[in-house]
Amino acid sequence: MSEQNMTSEIVSLRNENAVLKEELALANQQLEWFRKQIFGRKTEQTAVVMEKEFGVQLSMFGKEEKSVYKEHGTITVPEHKRKKKRTYDDWMSSLPVKEEHHEIKDPVCEICGAKMVEIGDEKAYDELVYSPAKFYIRRHIVHKYKCPECGEKPEERDEPCHIIRAPYPHAMIPGSYCSPELLAHIIYEKYAKSVPLHRQEKDFNSKKIPLLKATISNWVIMAAEKWCMPIVEKMHEMLISGQIIHADETTVQVLHEEGRKPTSTSRMWVYCNGKMNDRNIIIFDYQPTRKGEHPSNFLKGFIGYLVCDGYDAYNAVESAKRCGCMTHTRRGFIQTLPNDQKLHSTSVAAKAVEYFNKIYHEENLLADSSTEYRYEQRLVKVKPLLDEFFAWLETVQVSGKGKLTDAVRYALNERKYLYTFLENGDVPIDNNRAENAIRPFAVGRRNWLFSNTANGAKASAALYSVISTAQANGLDAEKYLTELFSQPAGTILLPWREEK
């Protein structure tokens, strides 16, 4: 073999070796990430992911900030409101009390044998008692009445006897023995507590109530279509008229959908208003695909700030001003942190996380401030930190494949959207509100796994919307559903307390 051929072969082998090393490093990184997902903690809290030693975490402040706190003197901080701590007596005072008196019948003194007299009583302690559910039949008996004058001699009158019935509520579902209380409990169990219908069927059977899953499923779909969907439409109108909307989406599987395979992945989109509003609105919207036309159609007419992640489909909402999510950007660097805590001092990911921690620290100090003050302080304190972060990030050299490369590129691509929250003091810096809103659906999906039909998925979206909104507004969701189902179908009973 000639020297030239040997040289070219050596170069080729070196290149191949470099490629294999890069692939091996990527595979090890992916393996470590999967191990963490299965066996490790999934929290993104700084105290967990960036601790140097047990119980010691890296500071979110730089050296200059540390020296400030060593100096003696006073500083002025903005006023804020602190929630009053609720005691046991506060919430127990609203519950009914059943007293149990412990007495001695004809007490006699153990010393002299004289009959003792009662001198008073005292409370020993309180217990919170749970009473299991009870089933009973509510039988509606309608009384009938006739007029004695009209009914004495009907053969002498042209008109029939005048007979009336007492007014009574008609059955919630015609031809069914379903009551508002029963259906409210079934829906609350599935959509608030993630108990699938087949498990509820077993539970009913264990209590000698032979309810079939198919029957329950039909009840649930009818309740969603007749009672909940009109409410969701009203909530949609109110959501669109607001200033801030959060958006996110997650997967859902529908087995029987026209023109699609049972293994196809559909999407459940979620939209909610900003946390600065007096009322919370959370709406789920089922769609078969992840195309941008779905948020565009749902948010048609919305003129405001749309807070979302880096998915390009949200660009289809042309009338809205898109805002990035700081948490999503930070998460990319969290996932690339080295497992060895000793490497954090030289880690690019660790330094990026420290920048985000500084930003969140300043933002948290403004949580209870007014909109105007928050807007001003963001420009003074948060914007310089964001500028410094991106100026540093541009100097970071990354190439090839890997989670660090993806995190850096994601942050740079989202730069213009991450600055949008500085325009308005009410716009949040992240999309955590939508992620928290969609979490109950994700938890329920682990239990019921899939929807049988597209109509069932749409019904689930309506029920999740109503229940999630009721809970977010501090209502007893099961009690609210009972009141809703006691009204005629189509009644608009919004899931929050109306101001008197």
Side-chain angles (χ1 to χ4, degrees):
M1 181 181 295
S2 64
E3 183 177 353
Q4 183 178 1
N5 291 338
M6 290 182 62
T7 303
S8 62
E9 185 175 355
I10 290 173
V11 172
S12 176
L13 290 174
R14 286 178 176 175
N15 293 336
E16 183 179 355
N17 185 40
V19 172
L20 292 175
K21 283 184 177 180
E22 184 179 353
E23 291 179 353
L24 178 61
L26 179 61
N28 288 333
Q29 190 181 58
Q30 291 175 341
L31 177 61
E32 196 61 40
W33 184 82
F34 281 119
R35 283 177 177 172
K36 182 179 178 182
Q37 295 300 306
I38 297 174
F39 304 110
R41 296 181 64 180
K42 298 179 178 62
T43 179
E44 297 177 6
Q45 294 181 355
T46 303
V48 177
V49 300
M50 293 189 65
E51 57 183 358
K52 286 183 177 179
E53 299 175 358
F54 182 77
V56 181
Q57 74 176 71
L58 291 180
S59 173
M60 64 178 67
F61 307 105
K63 295 182 179 179
E64 295 181 359
E65 287 83 350
K66 285 185 178 179
S67 62
V68 172
Y69 291 93
K70 294 180 181 179
E71 297 177 359
H72 296 283
T74 59
I75 59 174
T76 303
V77 297
E79 295 182 357
H80 63 278
K81 296 180 180 179
R82 183 171 296 172
K83 291 184 179 180
K84 181 182 177 182
K85 187 176 180 181
R86 196 176 185 189
T87 63
Y88 290 118
D89 294 336
D90 292 337
W91 59 268
M92 282 189 171
S93 61
S94 61
L95 298 177
V97 177
K98 181 180 179 181
E99 294 183 349
E100 290 196 6
H101 291 262
H102 305 278
E103 302 173 307
I104 301 176
K105 187 176 181 180
D106 299 329
V108 178
C109 179
E110 298 176 353
I111 299 176
C112 65
K115 185 177 180 181
M116 304 185 73
V117 296
E118 183 177 352
I119 60 174
D121 56 42
E122 62 180 3
K123 184 183 78 170
Y125 62 94
D126 288 336
E127 289 180 324
L128 181 64
V129 181
Y130 169 74
S131 179
K134 297 180 181 179
F135 296 92
Y136 66 93
I137 301 299
R138 183 166 54 214
R139 182 168 294 154
H140 295 270
I141 307 297
V142 182
H143 292 258
K144 300 185 292 183
Y145 306 87
K146 76 172 184 178
C147 176
E149 298 296 330
C150 300
E152 284 298 325
K153 297 179 180 180
E155 65 279 359
E156 298 179 1
R157 303 179 59 86
D158 296 333
E159 63 274 4
C161 295
H162 182 54
I163 299 176
I164 61 173
R165 287 185 173 187
Y168 65 96
H170 294 282
M172 177 183 175
I173 300 176
S176 169
Y177 51 84
C178 179
S179 68
E181 295 89 347
L182 176 61
L183 188 52
H185 175 72
I186 292 172
I187 292 176
Y188 179 78
E189 287 289 305
K190 178 176 180 180
Y191 296 99
K193 298 172 65 176
S194 304
V195 182
L197 295 184
H198 69 273
R199 293 186 192 173
Q200 294 193 49
E201 178 186 16
K202 292 181 180 180
D203 184 58
F204 281 123
N205 289 334
S206 68
K207 295 178 173 64
K208 309 303 179 183
I209 306 294
L211 272 177
L212 298 178
K213 175 187 173 183
T215 302
I216 300 175
S217 180
N218 290 333
W219 290 352
V220 170
I221 292 178
M222 181 171 291
E225 293 177 348
K226 300 294 186 181
W227 278 269
C228 295
M229 288 186 179
I231 295 177
V232 174
E233 291 177 1
K234 181 64 176 178
M235 289 165 51
H236 184 202
E237 295 177 3
M238 301 176 69
L239 180 69
I240 295 299
S241 62
Q243 184 184 21
I244 301 169
I245 292 180
H246 294 256
D248 200 1
E249 42 81 29
T250 188
T251 59
V252 62
Q253 186 179 0
V254 179
L255 297 184
H256 302 96
E257 191 167 16
E258 186 177 354
R260 307 192 73 201
K261 296 180 180 180
T263 55
S264 301
T265 301
S266 301
R267 296 284 165 171
M268 185 68 77
W269 300 75
V270 65
Y271 306 91
C272 52
N273 59 353
K275 64 180 180 180
M276 301 299 178
N277 293 274
D278 296 333
R279 297 189 182 102
N280 295 287
I281 298 177
I282 301 172
I283 300 178
F284 288 80
D285 181 44
Y286 167 75
Q287 296 295 342
T289 66
R290 202 188 182 198
K291 295 181 179 179
E293 63 187 32
H294 303 309
S296 177
N297 294 334
F298 187 89
L299 299 177
K300 186 177 181 181
F302 171 66
I303 303 175
Y305 295 92
L306 176 61
V307 186
C308 56
D309 56 27
Y311 184 38
D312 290 337
Y314 293 110
N315 290 330
V317 187
E318 299 177 353
S319 59
K321 184 171 290 188
R322 182 172 168 179
C323 306
C325 176
M326 206 75 69
T327 297
H328 274 84
T329 310
R330 178 179 181 271
R331 185 173 299 151
F333 294 100
I334 288 288
Q335 295 174 351
T336 62
L337 284 172
N339 294 329
D340 188 354
Q341 304 289 341
K342 297 178 181 179
L343 300 178
H344 281 187
S345 59
T346 58
S347 170
V348 173
K351 188 171 183 179
V353 172
E354 286 187 358
Y355 272 114
F356 285 108
N357 290 344
K358 293 177 184 179
I359 293 173
Y360 268 101
H361 173 73
E362 296 295 340
E363 183 67 21
N364 290 337
L365 293 177
L366 304 173
D368 298 320
S369 303
S370 63
T371 301
E372 295 77 12
Y373 184 81
R374 189 183 301 109
Y375 168 74
E376 295 171 356
Q377 292 301 307
R378 279 176 172 179
L379 296 179
V380 174
K381 296 182 179 180
V382 180
K383 186 178 182 298
L385 292 174
L386 205 55
D387 294 338
E388 183 181 345
F389 166 71
F390 280 109
W392 165 79
L393 194 63
E394 288 180 343
T395 64
V396 176
Q397 300 296 325
V398 292
S399 62
K401 298 179 180 178
K403 289 191 175 296
L404 180 59
T405 302
D406 294 340
V408 172
R409 290 175 178 171
Y410 180 91
L412 292 175
N413 290 336
E414 288 290 296
R415 179 193 301 195
K416 63 178 180 180
Y417 303 125
L418 291 173
Y419 274 90
T420 310
F421 78 99
L422 297 172
E423 300 178 7
N424 189 307
D426 284 338
V427 177
I429 67 173
D430 54 44
N431 197 31
N432 289 351
R433 185 168 171 81
E435 289 193 343
N436 292 333
I438 211 169
R439 186 171 290 116
F441 176 84
V443 173
R445 183 182 55 198
R446 297 176 185 174
N447 293 338
W448 45 259
L449 300 178
F450 52 80
S451 292
N452 192 37
T453 64
N455 288 336
K458 293 177 181 178
S460 294
L463 292 167
Y464 270 115
S465 301
V466 171
I467 291 177
S468 298
T469 302
Q471 291 180 322
N473 287 293
L475 296 183
D476 182 338
E478 186 172 354
K479 184 177 180 181
Y480 162 76
L481 289 174
T482 301
E483 184 178 357
L484 174 63
F485 297 151
S486 301
Q487 308 297 324
T491 301
I492 304 298
L493 182 62
L494 295 173
W496 52 69
R497 297 182 180 90
E498 294 289 349
E499 295 181 1
K500 296 183 180 180

